Amino acid sequence: YDGTLTAMAPTPGLAAPDRSLLSLLRTLALQPATEVHVVSGRDRATLDTWLGALPVGLHAEHGLWSRLAAGAEWVRAAAPATLPREGDVLNLLEDATRRVPGSMIERKGTGLAWHYRLADQRAAADTVRGLRGALARLLEGEDAEVMAGHRVLEVRVSGVNKGTAILPVVSDLPASTVVIAIGDDRTDEQLFAAAPPDALTIHVG
């Protein structure tokens, strides 16, 4: 969603789709023999609010939750129920937020994201490096991973990603199906890797 269907916004809540984008997605999804899926790091409540009325598949929190069609129930992927050492992770992120003006923490179902889009990037650089190292040490051996995105560090349960999200979608497709995967972030590389070998993968940037 972010950086692909919409431009990156200063804060997560400012990237709501406009009428033009909603119309585009609906028109595309209603084409014959066509399915559209949006795979996002966003939480399912946000995707439901913004895109829930469209005839598209939705995959929230990098595939932790999926809703394959409009009106269908959300289904949770097999993954740990809570983020390991969540309290300690939150303490590290809160400390970084105090030291980097303009940064913020976003809570998700089984993870936490630290955004620093509004922070001075030069001032944030050292904190980002230190935070990544501290999180790696804290979570060593745990079922959790740290993902770096566009001016965001996300800590989430491991074993679930945008690639695992689309496997049920593409595994039973007829051989003649054309699969197109589009994304802008490092997390989308997992999506590209899970697509069929003859898929068209597009990096937006």
Side-chain angles (χ1 to χ4, degrees):
Y1 184 84
D2 297 276
T4 299
L5 293 177
T6 65
M8 300 298 293
T11 60
L14 296 178
D18 58 19
R19 289 184 180 180
S20 176
L21 176 56
L22 293 175
S23 175
L24 175 66
L25 289 173
R26 182 179 298 276
T27 300
L28 181 60
L30 293 177
Q31 296 300 304
T34 302
E35 285 188 33
V36 175
H37 292 262
V38 177
V39 190
S40 174
R42 295 279 186 165
D43 63 88
R44 57 182 169 149
T46 299
L47 292 185
D48 247 342
T49 299
W50 288 356
L51 307 175
L54 297 176
V56 303
L58 298 176
H59 308 268
E61 296 191 41
H62 304 284
L64 180 65
W65 293 93
S66 291
R67 188 212 73 174
L68 297 182
E73 292 288 326
W74 284 93
V75 177
R76 190 182 188 280
T82 59
L83 179 68
R85 306 198 64 173
E86 183 173 2
D88 295 326
V89 171
L90 182 59
N91 287 338
L92 286 174
L93 298 185
E94 287 176 338
D95 179 64
T97 303
R98 285 190 292 268
R99 291 187 284 115
V100 180
S103 62
M104 58 170 286
I105 299 170
E106 179 187 9
R107 293 177 177 269
K108 300 189 177 183
T110 55
L112 297 162
W114 184 66
H115 298 272
Y116 54 98
R117 294 176 194 160
L118 296 179
D120 179 271
Q121 297 306 297
R122 187 172 298 176
D126 288 340
T127 299
V128 172
R129 284 193 294 270
L131 182 57
R132 290 184 70 173
L135 288 169
R137 291 189 294 273
L138 175 67
L139 297 172
E140 185 175 2
E142 302 283 357
D143 288 329
E145 60 183 340
V146 181
M147 291 294 296
H150 286 305
R151 298 181 183 179
V152 60
L153 284 181
E154 187 162 347
V155 187
R156 64 187 192 210
V157 295
S158 58
V160 176
N161 56 59
K162 292 181 179 179
T164 61
I166 68 154
L167 284 177
V169 177
V170 302
S171 59
D172 296 325
L173 292 175
S176 60
T177 304
V178 176
V179 175
I180 304 172
I182 310 171
D184 75 304
D185 206 343
R186 291 183 184 178
T187 59
D188 297 307
E189 296 297 333
Q190 295 165 316
L191 175 72
F192 298 160
D198 58 350
L200 175 62
T201 59
I202 302 171
H203 177 242
V204 178

